[in-house]
Amino acid sequence: MLTDPRPLLQRLFSNTYVFWLLLALPAVYIVADGKLSAGRPHYLRDTGLVSCWFFIVTLMITPLAMLVGATPWMRWLKAQRRYLGVASFAYATLHLLVFFKDNNAAAILRSFVRPTIVPGWIAFVLMAAMAATSFDAAVRGMGRNWKRLQQIVYPAAILTFLHWVLTDKNYLNIAIYTGPLILLTIWRLTRTRTPLDPDI
C-alpha cells in the first residue's frame, strides 16, 4: 500500500477543514480578547489588521516561490493561496460589519466621501470581485478571463495600503508588516523585467 510521502504537518494542513480552522483562529482570538479586555474591544482595528496580514501573505507567495524554488512547502503554500485570499476578504467583511455596528446611518453615508475611508471601500469591492470568482467552477467557466480579473489584486493592494496608512497612523508597524512584501516585489520586478502576474 502506497503511503503519502509528504511530512505529517503538510498532510495535516492540506486538509481543507483543518486549514480553514487555522484561518479562523484569529477571529476566535479577536472575540476572546475583546471579551477579556477591560476597555473597549478593538474589533475594527484587529479585523482590518488580520485582513491585511492575509492579503500580504497571499501576495508574497509568488515572488517567494521564485526566490526559494519549488520546495515541497512552497508547492503546498501555492496550493493554499486562494484560501488565503478568501480569508483576507472574509476578515475585510468582518471589518466592514464592525464598522456598520459602530456607526449610525449618517456616519456610514459620510464614509463614502471621506478620503481616509474611500480607498477602503474601493479595495473591498475589488476584493469581493476576486472572492466571488475564487471557486473552481468560476475558474473553469471564465477561462483566461479569470486570470485577467485577478490582475485587480494589485490596485486592491495599493488601495488597502492607502486606507491602512490613512486610518492607522502607526507607520512603523505598517512598514514592518509590509516591508517583506515590498522588498520581494522590487526583487521580482528587477529580476523578471516583465509585468506583474499574480499567477494565482
Side-chain angles (χ1 to χ4, degrees):
M1 182 177 179
L2 294 176
T3 59
D4 193 331
R6 296 176 301 173
L8 176 61
L9 282 178
Q10 190 174 334
R11 296 201 306 270
L12 179 64
F13 294 155
S14 293
N15 182 287
T16 302
Y17 300 106
V18 172
F19 193 68
W20 274 110
L21 180 62
L22 289 174
L23 297 178
L25 287 180
V28 175
Y29 173 81
I30 289 170
V31 172
D33 185 59
K35 295 293 184 183
L36 297 174
S37 175
R40 183 179 179 182
H42 298 289
Y43 295 138
L44 186 66
R45 180 200 66 192
D46 292 348
T47 51
L49 190 58
V50 173
S51 176
C52 288
W53 286 346
F54 280 129
F55 205 172
I56 289 169
V57 171
T58 303
L59 289 170
M60 284 178 63
I61 292 174
T62 293
L64 193 59
M66 294 170 63
L67 181 64
V68 304
T71 65
W73 275 105
M74 282 310 309
R75 288 196 296 270
W76 172 83
L77 196 56
K78 289 183 74 172
Q80 314 309 316
R81 184 167 37 194
R82 267 191 279 164
Y83 295 141
L84 290 164
V86 172
S88 175
F89 174 70
Y91 281 97
T93 302
L94 289 175
H95 183 66
L96 183 60
L97 292 174
V98 173
F99 177 74
F100 284 162
K101 175 181 175 295
D102 290 346
N103 291 274
N104 57 31
I108 293 171
L109 288 174
R110 285 196 300 272
S111 73
F112 290 105
V113 294
R114 287 176 57 188
T116 56
I117 307 297
V118 169
W121 276 115
I122 301 173
F124 182 82
V125 171
L126 296 179
M127 291 175 71
M130 290 186 289
T133 57
S134 64
F135 306 100
D136 290 340
V139 176
R140 291 191 298 268
M142 294 181 65
R144 293 182 179 179
N145 290 326
W146 182 83
K147 201 163 188 177
R148 294 191 187 101
L149 175 66
Q150 297 306 306
Q151 293 287 343
I152 64 176
V153 69
Y154 297 110
I158 293 170
L159 289 164
T160 299
F161 176 76
L162 182 59
H163 173 61
W164 193 1
V165 169
L166 292 173
T167 55
D168 192 317
K169 307 294 185 182
N170 194 333
Y171 303 127
L172 178 59
N173 278 351
I174 295 172
I176 292 171
Y177 294 142
T178 60
L181 172 61
I182 292 171
L183 291 175
L184 280 170
T185 302
I186 292 172
W187 172 83
R188 181 183 178 187
L189 287 171
T190 56
R191 178 181 181 275
T192 61
R193 299 183 183 278
T194 57
L196 286 171
D197 182 347
D199 187 29
I200 296 175

